[in-house]
Coordinates of all heavy atoms in Angstrom, one line a residue:
M1 N -25.2 120.0 -153.1 CA -24.5 121.2 -153.4 C -23.2 120.8 -153.9 O -22.4 120.1 -153.3 CB -24.4 122.1 -152.2 CG -23.7 123.4 -152.5 SD -23.7 124.5 -151.1 CE -22.2 124.1 -150.3
K2 N -22.8 121.3 -155.1 CA -21.5 121.1 -155.7 C -20.5 122.1 -155.1 O -20.7 123.3 -155.1 CB -21.6 121.2 -157.2 CG -20.3 120.8 -157.9 CD -20.4 120.8 -159.4 CE -19.1 120.4 -160.0 NZ -19.1 120.5 -161.4
L3 N -19.4 121.5 -154.6 CA -18.3 122.4 -154.0 C -17.4 122.9 -155.1 O -17.2 122.2 -156.1 CB -17.5 121.6 -153.0 CG -18.3 121.1 -151.8 CD1 -17.4 120.2 -150.9 CD2 -18.8 122.3 -151.0
P4 N -16.9 124.1 -155.0 CA -16.0 124.6 -156.0 C -14.7 123.8 -156.1 O -14.3 123.3 -155.1 CB -15.7 126.1 -155.5 CG -16.1 126.1 -154.1 CD -17.1 125.0 -153.9
V5 N -14.2 123.8 -157.3 CA -12.9 123.1 -157.5 C -11.9 124.2 -157.8 O -12.1 125.0 -158.7 CB -13.0 122.1 -158.6 CG1 -11.6 121.5 -158.9 CG2 -14.0 121.0 -158.3
F6 N -10.8 124.2 -157.1 CA -9.8 125.3 -157.3 C -8.5 124.6 -157.8 O -8.2 123.5 -157.6 CB -9.5 126.0 -156.0 CG -10.7 126.6 -155.4 CD1 -11.3 126.1 -154.3 CD2 -11.2 127.8 -155.9 CE1 -12.4 126.7 -153.7 CE2 -12.3 128.4 -155.4 CZ -12.9 127.8 -154.3
T7 N -7.7 125.5 -158.5 CA -6.4 125.1 -159.0 C -5.3 125.8 -158.2 O -5.5 126.9 -157.9 CB -6.3 125.5 -160.5 OG1 -7.4 124.9 -161.2 CG2 -5.0 125.1 -161.1
R8 N -4.2 125.1 -158.0 CA -3.1 125.6 -157.2 C -2.7 127.0 -157.8 O -2.5 127.1 -159.0 CB -1.9 124.7 -157.2 CG -0.8 125.2 -156.4 CD 0.3 124.2 -156.2 NE -0.2 123.0 -155.5 CZ 0.4 121.9 -155.4 NH1 1.6 121.7 -156.0 NH2 -0.1 120.9 -154.7
G9 N -2.6 128.0 -157.0 CA -2.1 129.3 -157.4 C -3.3 130.3 -157.6 O -3.1 131.5 -157.7
E10 N -4.5 129.8 -157.7 CA -5.6 130.7 -157.8 C -5.8 131.5 -156.5 O -5.5 130.9 -155.4 CB -6.9 130.0 -158.1 CG -7.0 129.4 -159.5 CD -8.3 128.7 -159.8 OE1 -8.9 128.1 -158.9 OE2 -8.6 128.7 -161.0
I11 N -6.3 132.7 -156.5 CA -6.5 133.5 -155.3 C -7.9 133.2 -154.9 O -8.9 133.3 -155.7 CB -6.3 135.0 -155.6 CG1 -4.9 135.2 -156.1 CG2 -6.6 135.8 -154.4 CD1 -4.6 136.6 -156.6
V12 N -8.1 132.9 -153.6 CA -9.4 132.6 -153.0 C -9.6 133.4 -151.7 O -8.6 133.9 -151.2 CB -9.5 131.1 -152.6 CG1 -9.5 130.2 -153.9 CG2 -8.5 130.6 -151.6
I13 N -10.8 133.6 -151.3 CA -11.2 134.2 -150.1 C -12.0 133.2 -149.3 O -12.9 132.6 -149.8 CB -11.9 135.6 -150.3 CG1 -12.2 136.3 -149.0 CG2 -13.2 135.3 -151.1 CD1 -12.7 137.7 -149.2
V14 N -11.5 133.1 -148.0 CA -12.2 132.1 -147.1 C -12.7 132.8 -145.9 O -12.0 133.6 -145.3 CB -11.1 131.0 -146.6 CG1 -11.8 130.0 -145.8 CG2 -10.4 130.4 -147.8
E15 N -14.0 132.6 -145.6 CA -14.6 133.1 -144.4 C -14.8 131.9 -143.5 O -15.3 130.9 -143.9 CB -15.9 133.8 -144.7 CG -15.8 135.0 -145.5 CD -17.1 135.7 -145.7 OE1 -18.1 135.0 -146.0 OE2 -17.2 137.0 -145.6
W16 N -14.3 132.1 -142.2 CA -14.3 130.9 -141.3 C -14.5 131.4 -139.9 O -14.3 132.5 -139.5 CB -13.1 130.1 -141.4 CG -11.8 130.9 -141.2 CD1 -11.2 131.8 -142.1 CD2 -11.0 130.9 -140.1 NE1 -10.1 132.3 -141.5 CE2 -9.9 131.8 -140.3 CE3 -11.0 130.2 -138.9 CZ2 -8.9 132.0 -139.4 CZ3 -10.0 130.5 -137.9 CH2 -9.0 131.3 -138.2
I17 N -15.0 130.5 -139.1 CA -15.3 130.7 -137.6 C -14.1 130.1 -136.8 O -13.8 129.0 -137.0 CB -16.6 130.1 -137.2 CG1 -17.8 130.7 -138.0 CG2 -16.8 130.3 -135.7 CD1 -19.1 130.0 -137.8
D18 N -13.6 130.9 -136.0 CA -12.5 130.4 -135.1 C -13.1 129.8 -133.9 O -14.2 130.0 -133.4 CB -11.6 131.6 -134.7 CG -10.2 131.1 -134.2 OD1 -9.9 129.9 -134.3 OD2 -9.4 131.9 -133.8
I19 N -12.3 128.9 -133.3 CA -12.7 128.2 -132.0 C -12.4 129.2 -130.9 O -11.3 129.8 -130.9 CB -11.9 126.9 -131.9 CG1 -12.3 126.0 -133.0 CG2 -12.1 126.3 -130.5 CD1 -11.4 124.8 -133.2
E20 N -13.3 129.3 -129.9 CA -13.1 130.1 -128.7 C -13.1 129.3 -127.5 O -13.7 128.2 -127.4 CB -14.2 131.2 -128.6 CG -14.2 132.1 -129.8 CD -15.3 133.1 -129.6 OE1 -15.4 133.7 -128.5 OE2 -16.1 133.3 -130.6
Q21 N -12.4 129.7 -126.5 CA -12.4 129.1 -125.2 C -12.2 130.1 -124.1 O -11.6 131.1 -124.3 CB -11.4 127.9 -125.1 CG -10.0 128.4 -124.9 CD -9.1 127.2 -124.6 OE1 -9.4 126.0 -125.0 NE2 -7.9 127.4 -124.1
N22 N -12.6 129.8 -122.9 CA -12.4 130.6 -121.7 C -12.1 129.7 -120.5 O -13.0 129.0 -120.1 CB -13.6 131.5 -121.4 CG -13.3 132.4 -120.2 OD1 -12.6 132.0 -119.3 ND2 -13.9 133.6 -120.2
T23 N -10.9 129.7 -120.1 CA -10.5 128.8 -119.0 C -10.1 129.6 -117.7 O -9.4 129.0 -116.9 CB -9.3 127.9 -119.4 OG1 -8.2 128.7 -119.8 CG2 -9.7 127.0 -120.6
Q24 N -10.5 130.8 -117.7 CA -10.1 131.7 -116.6 C -11.0 131.6 -115.3 O -10.6 132.1 -114.3 CB -10.0 133.1 -117.0 CG -8.9 133.3 -118.1 CD -8.9 134.8 -118.6 OE1 -9.6 135.6 -118.1 NE2 -8.1 135.0 -119.6
E25 N -12.2 131.0 -115.5 CA -13.1 131.0 -114.4 C -14.2 129.9 -114.6 O -14.3 129.4 -115.7 CB -13.7 132.4 -114.2 CG -14.5 132.8 -115.4 CD -15.0 134.2 -115.4 OE1 -15.2 134.7 -114.3 OE2 -15.1 134.8 -116.5
W26 N -14.9 129.6 -113.5 CA -16.1 128.8 -113.6 C -17.2 129.6 -114.2 O -17.3 130.8 -113.9 CB -16.4 128.2 -112.3 CG -15.5 127.1 -111.8 CD1 -14.3 127.3 -111.1 CD2 -15.5 125.7 -112.2 NE1 -13.7 126.1 -110.9 CE2 -14.4 125.1 -111.6 CE3 -16.4 125.0 -112.9 CZ2 -14.2 123.8 -111.7 CZ3 -16.2 123.6 -113.0 CH2 -15.1 123.0 -112.4
H27 N -18.2 129.0 -114.9 CA -19.3 129.7 -115.5 C -20.6 129.1 -115.0 O -20.8 127.9 -115.0 CB -19.2 129.5 -117.0 CG -17.9 130.0 -117.6 ND1 -17.6 131.3 -117.8 CD2 -16.8 129.3 -117.9 CE1 -16.4 131.4 -118.3 NE2 -15.9 130.2 -118.4
T28 N -21.5 130.1 -114.7 CA -22.8 129.7 -114.3 C -23.7 129.3 -115.5 O -23.3 129.6 -116.7 CB -23.6 130.8 -113.6 OG1 -23.7 131.9 -114.5 CG2 -22.8 131.3 -112.4
E29 N -24.8 128.7 -115.3 CA -25.7 128.4 -116.5 C -26.1 129.7 -117.1 O -26.2 129.7 -118.4 CB -26.9 127.6 -115.9 CG -27.7 127.0 -117.1 CD -28.8 126.0 -116.6 OE1 -28.6 125.4 -115.5 OE2 -29.8 126.0 -117.2
E30 N -26.4 130.7 -116.4 CA -26.8 132.0 -117.0 C -25.7 132.6 -117.9 O -25.9 133.0 -119.0 CB -27.1 133.0 -115.9 CG -27.5 134.3 -116.4 CD -27.8 135.3 -115.2 OE1 -28.1 134.9 -114.1 OE2 -27.8 136.5 -115.5
S31 N -24.4 132.5 -117.4 CA -23.3 133.0 -118.2 C -23.1 132.2 -119.5 O -22.8 132.7 -120.5 CB -22.1 133.2 -117.4 OG -21.5 131.9 -117.1
M32 N -23.3 130.9 -119.3 CA -23.2 130.0 -120.5 C -24.3 130.3 -121.5 O -24.0 130.3 -122.7 CB -23.2 128.5 -120.1 CG -22.0 128.1 -119.3 SD -20.5 128.2 -120.2 CE -20.7 126.8 -121.3
D33 N -25.5 130.5 -121.0 CA -26.6 130.9 -121.9 C -26.3 132.2 -122.7 O -26.5 132.3 -123.9 CB -27.9 131.1 -121.2 CG -28.5 129.7 -120.7 OD1 -28.1 128.7 -121.2 OD2 -29.4 129.8 -119.8
K34 N -25.7 133.2 -122.0 CA -25.4 134.4 -122.7 C -24.3 134.2 -123.7 O -24.3 134.7 -124.8 CB -24.9 135.4 -121.6 CG -26.0 136.0 -120.8 CD -25.5 137.0 -119.8 CE -26.6 137.6 -119.0 NZ -26.1 138.5 -117.9
E35 N -23.3 133.4 -123.4 CA -22.2 133.0 -124.3 C -22.8 132.3 -125.5 O -22.4 132.6 -126.7 CB -21.2 132.2 -123.6 CG -19.9 131.9 -124.4 CD -19.2 133.2 -124.8 OE1 -19.1 134.1 -123.9 OE2 -18.6 133.3 -125.9
H36 N -23.7 131.4 -125.3 CA -24.3 130.7 -126.4 C -25.0 131.6 -127.4 O -25.1 131.3 -128.6 CB -25.3 129.6 -125.8 CG -25.9 128.7 -126.8 ND1 -25.1 127.8 -127.5 CD2 -27.2 128.5 -127.2 CE1 -25.9 127.2 -128.4 NE2 -27.2 127.6 -128.2
E37 N -25.6 132.7 -126.9 CA -26.4 133.6 -127.7 C -25.5 134.6 -128.4 O -26.0 135.3 -129.3 CB -27.4 134.3 -126.9 CG -28.5 133.3 -126.3 CD -29.4 134.0 -125.3 OE1 -29.2 135.2 -125.0 OE2 -30.2 133.2 -124.7
K38 N -24.3 134.8 -128.0 CA -23.4 135.8 -128.6 C -23.1 135.5 -130.1 O -23.2 134.4 -130.5 CB -22.1 135.8 -127.8 CG -22.1 136.6 -126.5 CD -20.9 136.5 -125.7 CE -19.7 137.3 -126.3 NZ -18.5 137.2 -125.5
Y39 N -22.8 136.6 -130.8 CA -22.5 136.4 -132.2 C -21.2 135.6 -132.3 O -20.4 135.5 -131.4 CB -22.3 137.8 -132.8 CG -21.0 138.6 -132.3 CD1 -19.8 138.5 -133.0 CD2 -21.0 139.3 -131.1 CE1 -18.7 139.1 -132.6 CE2 -19.9 139.9 -130.7 CZ -18.8 139.9 -131.4 OH -17.6 140.5 -131.0
I40 N -21.0 135.1 -133.5 CA -19.8 134.4 -133.8 C -18.7 135.3 -134.3 O -19.1 136.4 -134.9 CB -20.0 133.2 -134.8 CG1 -20.6 133.8 -136.1 CG2 -20.9 132.2 -134.2 CD1 -20.7 132.7 -137.2
R41 N -17.5 135.0 -134.2 CA -16.4 135.7 -134.8 C -16.1 135.2 -136.1 O -15.5 134.0 -136.2 CB -15.2 135.7 -133.9 CG -15.4 136.4 -132.6 CD -14.2 136.4 -131.7 NE -14.6 137.1 -130.4 CZ -13.8 137.1 -129.4 NH1 -12.6 136.6 -129.4 NH2 -14.2 137.7 -128.3
L42 N -16.4 135.9 -137.2 CA -16.1 135.5 -138.5 C -14.8 136.1 -139.0 O -14.7 137.3 -139.0 CB -17.3 135.9 -139.4 CG -17.3 135.3 -140.8 CD1 -17.4 133.8 -140.8 CD2 -18.4 135.9 -141.6
Y43 N -13.9 135.3 -139.4 CA -12.6 135.7 -139.9 C -12.5 135.5 -141.4 O -13.2 134.7 -142.0 CB -11.4 134.9 -139.2 CG -11.4 135.2 -137.7 CD1 -12.1 134.4 -136.9 CD2 -10.6 136.2 -137.2 CE1 -12.1 134.7 -135.5 CE2 -10.5 136.4 -135.9 CZ -11.3 135.7 -135.0 OH -11.2 135.9 -133.7
T44 N -11.6 136.3 -142.0 CA -11.5 136.3 -143.5 C -10.0 136.1 -143.8 O -9.2 136.9 -143.3 CB -12.0 137.5 -144.2 OG1 -13.4 137.7 -143.8 CG2 -11.9 137.4 -145.7
N45 N -9.7 135.2 -144.7 CA -8.3 135.0 -145.2 C -8.4 135.1 -146.7 O -9.3 134.5 -147.3 CB -7.7 133.7 -144.8 CG -7.1 133.7 -143.5 OD1 -7.8 133.6 -142.5 ND2 -5.8 133.8 -143.4
V46 N -7.5 135.9 -147.3 CA -7.3 135.9 -148.8 C -5.9 135.3 -149.0 O -5.0 135.7 -148.4 CB -7.4 137.3 -149.3 CG1 -7.2 137.3 -150.8 CG2 -8.8 137.9 -149.0
G47 N -5.8 134.4 -150.0 CA -4.5 133.8 -150.3 C -4.5 133.0 -151.5 O -5.6 132.9 -152.2
F48 N -3.4 132.5 -151.8 CA -3.2 131.6 -153.0 C -3.6 130.2 -152.5 O -3.1 129.7 -151.5 CB -1.8 131.6 -153.5 CG -1.4 133.0 -154.1 CD1 -0.7 133.9 -153.3 CD2 -1.7 133.3 -155.3 CE1 -0.3 135.1 -153.8 CE2 -1.3 134.5 -155.9 CZ -0.6 135.4 -155.1
Y49 N -4.4 129.5 -153.3 CA -4.8 128.2 -153.0 C -3.7 127.2 -153.3 O -3.1 127.2 -154.4 CB -6.1 127.8 -153.8 CG -6.5 126.4 -153.7 CD1 -7.4 126.0 -152.7 CD2 -6.2 125.4 -154.6 CE1 -7.9 124.7 -152.6 CE2 -6.6 124.1 -154.5 CZ -7.5 123.8 -153.5 OH -7.9 122.5 -153.4
Y50 N -3.3 126.4 -152.3 CA -2.3 125.4 -152.6 C -2.9 124.0 -152.8 O -2.6 123.3 -153.7 CB -1.3 125.3 -151.4 CG -0.2 124.3 -151.7 CD1 0.9 124.7 -152.4 CD2 -0.3 123.0 -151.3 CE1 1.9 123.8 -152.7 CE2 0.7 122.1 -151.6 CZ 1.8 122.5 -152.3 OH 2.8 121.6 -152.6
G51 N -3.9 123.7 -151.9 CA -4.5 122.4 -152.0 C -5.4 122.2 -150.8 O -5.6 123.0 -150.0
E52 N -6.0 120.9 -150.7 CA -6.8 120.6 -149.6 C -6.8 119.1 -149.4 O -6.4 118.3 -150.3 CB -8.3 121.1 -149.9 CG -8.9 120.4 -151.1 CD -10.3 121.0 -151.4 OE1 -11.3 120.5 -150.9 OE2 -10.3 121.9 -152.3
N53 N -7.2 118.7 -148.3 CA -7.5 117.2 -148.0 C -8.9 117.1 -147.4 O -9.6 118.1 -147.3 CB -6.4 116.6 -147.2 CG -6.2 117.1 -145.8 OD1 -7.2 117.7 -145.3 ND2 -5.1 116.9 -145.2
I54 N -9.2 116.0 -146.8 CA -10.5 115.8 -146.2 C -10.7 116.8 -145.0 O -11.9 117.1 -144.7 CB -10.7 114.4 -145.8 CG1 -12.2 114.1 -145.5 CG2 -9.8 114.0 -144.6 CD1 -12.5 112.6 -145.4
D55 N -9.6 117.3 -144.4 CA -9.8 118.1 -143.1 C -9.6 119.6 -143.3 O -10.2 120.3 -142.5 CB -8.8 117.6 -142.1 CG -9.0 116.1 -141.7 OD1 -10.2 115.8 -141.5 OD2 -8.1 115.4 -141.5
Y56 N -8.8 120.0 -144.2 CA -8.5 121.4 -144.3 C -8.1 121.9 -145.7 O -7.8 121.1 -146.5 CB -7.3 121.8 -143.3 CG -6.0 121.1 -143.6 CD1 -5.2 121.6 -144.6 CD2 -5.6 119.9 -143.0 CE1 -4.0 121.0 -144.9 CE2 -4.4 119.3 -143.3 CZ -3.6 119.9 -144.3 OH -2.4 119.3 -144.6
Y57 N -8.2 123.3 -145.8 CA -7.7 124.0 -147.0 C -6.3 124.5 -146.6 O -6.1 125.0 -145.5 CB -8.6 125.2 -147.4 CG -9.9 124.8 -147.8 CD1 -11.0 124.8 -147.0 CD2 -10.1 124.3 -149.1 CE1 -12.3 124.5 -147.4 CE2 -11.4 123.9 -149.6 CZ -12.5 124.0 -148.7 OH -13.7 123.6 -149.2
L58 N -5.4 124.5 -147.6 CA -4.0 125.1 -147.4 C -3.8 126.2 -148.3 O -3.9 126.1 -149.5 CB -3.0 124.0 -147.6 CG -1.5 124.4 -147.4 CD1 -1.2 124.9 -146.0 CD2 -0.6 123.2 -147.8
L59 N -3.5 127.4 -147.7 CA -3.3 128.6 -148.5 C -1.9 129.1 -148.3 O -1.3 128.9 -147.2 CB -4.3 129.8 -148.1 CG -5.7 129.5 -148.1 CD1 -6.5 130.7 -147.7 CD2 -6.2 129.0 -149.4
Y60 N -1.3 129.9 -149.2 CA 0.0 130.5 -149.0 C -0.1 132.0 -149.4 O -1.0 132.3 -150.2 CB 1.1 129.8 -149.7 CG 1.0 129.7 -151.2 CD1 1.6 130.6 -152.0 CD2 0.3 128.7 -151.8 CE1 1.5 130.6 -153.4 CE2 0.2 128.6 -153.2 CZ 0.8 129.6 -154.0 OH 0.7 129.5 -155.3
S61 N 0.8 132.8 -149.0 CA 0.7 134.2 -149.3 C 1.7 134.7 -150.3 O 1.6 135.8 -150.9 CB 0.9 135.1 -148.0 OG 2.2 134.9 -147.5
G62 N 2.7 133.8 -150.6 CA 3.7 134.3 -151.6 C 4.5 133.1 -152.2 O 4.6 132.0 -151.5
I63 N 5.1 133.3 -153.4 CA 5.9 132.2 -154.0 C 7.1 132.9 -154.6 O 6.9 134.0 -155.2 CB 5.1 131.4 -155.0 CG1 5.9 130.2 -155.5 CG2 4.5 132.2 -156.1 CD1 5.1 129.2 -156.2
S64 N 8.2 132.3 -154.5 CA 9.5 132.9 -155.1 C 9.7 132.4 -156.5 O 9.0 131.4 -156.9 CB 10.7 132.5 -154.2 OG 11.0 131.1 -154.4
P65 N 10.6 133.0 -157.2 CA 10.9 132.5 -158.6 C 11.4 131.0 -158.6 O 11.3 130.4 -159.6 CB 12.0 133.4 -159.1 CG 11.8 134.7 -158.3 CD 11.3 134.2 -156.9
D66 N 12.0 130.6 -157.5 CA 12.4 129.2 -157.5 C 11.4 128.2 -156.9 O 11.7 127.1 -156.4 CB 13.8 129.0 -156.8 CG 13.7 129.4 -155.3 OD1 12.7 130.0 -154.9 OD2 14.7 129.2 -154.6
N67 N 10.1 128.7 -156.9 CA 9.0 127.9 -156.4 C 9.1 127.4 -154.9 O 8.7 126.3 -154.6 CB 8.8 126.7 -157.3 CG 8.2 127.0 -158.6 OD1 7.5 128.1 -158.7 ND2 8.4 126.3 -159.6
T68 N 9.5 128.3 -154.1 CA 9.4 128.1 -152.6 C 8.3 129.0 -152.1 O 8.1 130.1 -152.6 CB 10.7 128.4 -151.9 OG1 11.2 129.7 -152.1 CG2 11.8 127.4 -152.3
Y69 N 7.5 128.5 -151.2 CA 6.3 129.1 -150.7 C 6.6 129.9 -149.4 O 7.4 129.4 -148.6 CB 5.2 128.1 -150.5 CG 4.9 127.4 -151.8 CD1 5.5 126.2 -152.2 CD2 3.9 127.9 -152.6 CE1 5.2 125.6 -153.3 CE2 3.6 127.3 -153.8 CZ 4.2 126.1 -154.2 OH 3.9 125.5 -155.4
F70 N 5.9 131.0 -149.2 CA 6.0 131.8 -148.0 C 4.7 131.9 -147.3 O 3.6 132.1 -147.9 CB 6.5 133.2 -148.4 CG 6.6 134.1 -147.2 CD1 7.7 134.0 -146.3 CD2 5.7 135.1 -146.9 CE1 7.8 134.8 -145.2 CE2 5.8 135.9 -145.8 CZ 6.9 135.8 -145.0
D71 N 4.7 131.7 -146.0 CA 3.6 132.0 -145.1 C 2.3 131.3 -145.4 O 1.5 131.7 -146.2 CB 3.3 133.5 -145.1 CG 2.3 134.0 -144.1 OD1 2.3 133.4 -143.0 OD2 1.5 134.9 -144.4
F72 N 2.2 130.1 -144.8 CA 1.0 129.3 -145.1 C 0.0 129.3 -144.0 O 0.4 129.6 -142.8 CB 1.3 127.9 -145.5 CG 1.8 127.0 -144.4 CD1 1.0 126.3 -143.6 CD2 3.2 126.8 -144.2 CE1 1.4 125.6 -142.5 CE2 3.7 126.0 -143.2 CZ 2.8 125.4 -142.3
V73 N -1.2 129.0 -144.3 CA -2.3 128.9 -143.2 C -3.1 127.6 -143.6 O -3.5 127.4 -144.8 CB -3.1 130.1 -143.1 CG1 -3.9 130.5 -144.4 CG2 -4.1 130.0 -142.0
K74 N -3.4 126.8 -142.6 CA -4.3 125.7 -142.7 C -5.6 126.0 -142.1 O -5.6 126.3 -140.9 CB -3.7 124.4 -142.1 CG -2.5 123.8 -142.7 CD -2.1 122.6 -142.0 CE -0.9 121.9 -142.6 NZ -0.5 120.7 -141.8
I75 N -6.7 126.0 -142.8 CA -8.0 126.3 -142.2 C -8.9 125.0 -142.2 O -9.2 124.5 -143.3 CB -8.7 127.4 -143.0 CG1 -7.8 128.7 -143.1 CG2 -10.0 127.7 -142.4 CD1 -8.3 129.7 -144.0
P76 N -9.3 124.6 -141.0 CA -10.1 123.4 -141.0 C -11.4 123.6 -141.7 O -12.1 124.6 -141.6 CB -10.4 123.2 -139.5 CG -9.3 123.9 -138.8 CD -8.9 125.1 -139.7
K77 N -11.8 122.6 -142.5 CA -13.0 122.7 -143.3 C -14.2 122.8 -142.5 O -15.2 123.4 -142.9 CB -13.1 121.5 -144.3 CG -12.1 121.5 -145.4 CD -12.4 120.4 -146.4 CE -11.5 120.5 -147.6 NZ -11.8 119.4 -148.6
G78 N -14.2 122.2 -141.3 CA -15.4 122.3 -140.4 C -15.6 123.7 -139.9 O -16.7 124.0 -139.4
C79 N -14.6 124.6 -140.0 CA -14.8 126.0 -139.6 C -15.2 126.9 -140.7 O -15.5 128.1 -140.5 CB -13.5 126.5 -138.9 SG -13.0 125.6 -137.4
V80 N -15.1 126.4 -141.9 CA -15.3 127.3 -143.1 C -16.8 127.5 -143.4 O -17.6 126.6 -143.4 CB -14.6 126.7 -144.4 CG1 -15.0 127.4 -145.6 CG2 -13.1 126.6 -144.2
K81 N -17.1 128.8 -143.5 CA -18.5 129.2 -143.9 C -18.6 129.3 -145.4 O -19.6 128.9 -146.0 CB -18.9 130.5 -143.2 CG -18.9 130.4 -141.7 CD -19.9 129.4 -141.2 CE -21.3 129.9 -141.1 NZ -22.2 128.9 -140.6
T82 N -17.6 130.0 -146.0 CA -17.6 130.1 -147.5 C -16.1 130.1 -148.0 O -15.2 130.5 -147.2 CB -18.2 131.5 -148.0 OG1 -17.4 132.6 -147.5 CG2 -19.6 131.6 -147.5
I83 N -15.9 129.6 -149.2 CA -14.7 129.8 -149.9 C -15.0 130.1 -151.3 O -15.8 129.4 -151.9 CB -13.8 128.5 -149.7 CG1 -12.4 128.7 -150.5 CG2 -14.5 127.3 -150.2 CD1 -11.4 127.7 -150.2
N84 N -14.4 131.2 -151.8 CA -14.8 131.7 -153.1 C -13.5 132.0 -154.0 O -12.6 132.6 -153.4 CB -15.7 132.9 -153.0 CG -17.1 132.5 -152.5 OD1 -17.8 131.7 -153.1 ND2 -17.4 133.0 -151.3
Y85 N -13.7 131.8 -155.2 CA -12.6 132.2 -156.2 C -12.6 133.7 -156.3 O -13.6 134.4 -156.3 CB -13.0 131.6 -157.6 CG -12.2 132.1 -158.7 CD1 -11.0 131.4 -159.1 CD2 -12.7 133.1 -159.5 CE1 -10.3 131.9 -160.2 CE2 -11.9 133.5 -160.6 CZ -10.8 132.9 -160.9 OH -10.0 133.3 -162.0
V86 N -11.4 134.3 -156.4 CA -11.2 135.7 -156.5 C -10.5 136.1 -157.9 O -11.0 136.9 -158.6 CB -10.3 136.3 -155.4 CG1 -10.0 137.8 -155.6 CG2 -11.0 136.2 -154.0
A87 N -9.4 135.4 -158.2 CA -8.7 135.7 -159.4 C -7.9 134.4 -159.8 O -7.6 133.6 -159.0 CB -7.7 136.8 -159.2
K88 N -7.6 134.4 -161.1 CA -6.8 133.3 -161.7 C -5.4 133.3 -161.2 O -4.9 134.3 -160.6 CB -6.8 133.4 -163.2 CG -6.1 134.5 -163.8 CD -6.1 134.5 -165.3 CE -5.3 135.6 -165.8 NZ -5.0 135.5 -167.3
K89 N -4.7 132.2 -161.4 CA -3.3 132.1 -161.1 C -2.5 133.1 -161.8 O -2.7 133.4 -163.0 CB -2.8 130.7 -161.5 CG -1.4 130.4 -161.2 CD -1.0 129.0 -161.6 CE 0.4 128.7 -161.3 NZ 0.8 127.3 -161.7
L90 N -1.6 133.7 -161.0 CA -0.7 134.7 -161.6 C 0.5 134.0 -162.3 O 1.1 133.1 -161.8 CB -0.1 135.6 -160.5 CG -1.2 136.4 -159.7 CD1 -0.5 137.1 -158.5 CD2 -2.0 137.3 -160.5
D91 N 0.8 134.5 -163.5 CA 1.9 133.9 -164.3 C 3.2 134.7 -164.1 O 3.3 135.8 -163.8 CB 1.6 133.8 -165.7 CG 0.4 132.8 -166.0 OD1 0.3 131.8 -165.3 OD2 -0.4 133.2 -166.9

């Protein structure tokens, strides 16, 4: 499967699964089985694509006229279900 190639500044939408944990109590095998069968929490981020490396995608939500970036998010690639192009880079 060929992965999409994005250019810095393009708007993308990323659907990803977050990591969950519960450290408040001990869990029986029955409660672990129920947890295992529960639905996953799928999150969605829309943002400007900055770049990526082997581990994560980096998005930002805004850029100023002097090319400083505002509000970034790093999403681990192992958590990503889909990443899709939304719109071209804004000029």
Side-chain angles (χ1 to χ4, degrees):
M1 180 174 92
K2 185 174 180 183
L3 296 175
V5 176
F6 302 104
T7 301
R8 184 173 295 168
E10 290 180 332
I11 300 170
V12 297
I13 185 168
V14 182
E15 293 183 319
W16 57 284
I17 299 170
D18 200 3
I19 297 165
E20 297 181 49
Q21 75 173 22
N22 181 328
T23 58
Q24 297 178 7
E25 60 190 331
W26 286 92
H27 302 279
T28 65
E29 190 170 330
E30 181 181 336
S31 71
M32 291 296 287
D33 287 342
K34 285 180 183 177
E35 187 64 36
H36 184 64
E37 294 169 2
K38 283 174 70 176
Y39 69 94
I40 58 171
R41 294 182 182 171
L42 188 63
Y43 295 87
T44 303
N45 278 77
V46 177
F48 295 97
Y49 176 85
Y50 184 86
E52 64 187 271
N53 66 20
I54 195 168
D55 296 319
Y56 63 83
Y57 293 101
L58 180 60
L59 309 179
Y60 61 94
S61 65
I63 187 168
S64 72
D66 64 350
N67 287 332
T68 55
Y69 299 90
F70 179 74
D71 188 36
F72 71 84
V73 60
K74 290 181 180 179
I75 302 173
K77 286 184 172 181
C79 295
V80 172
K81 298 301 276 179
T82 64
I83 180 168
N84 292 298
Y85 171 86
V86 173
K88 67 178 184 169
K89 180 178 179 179
L90 302 175
D91 294 322

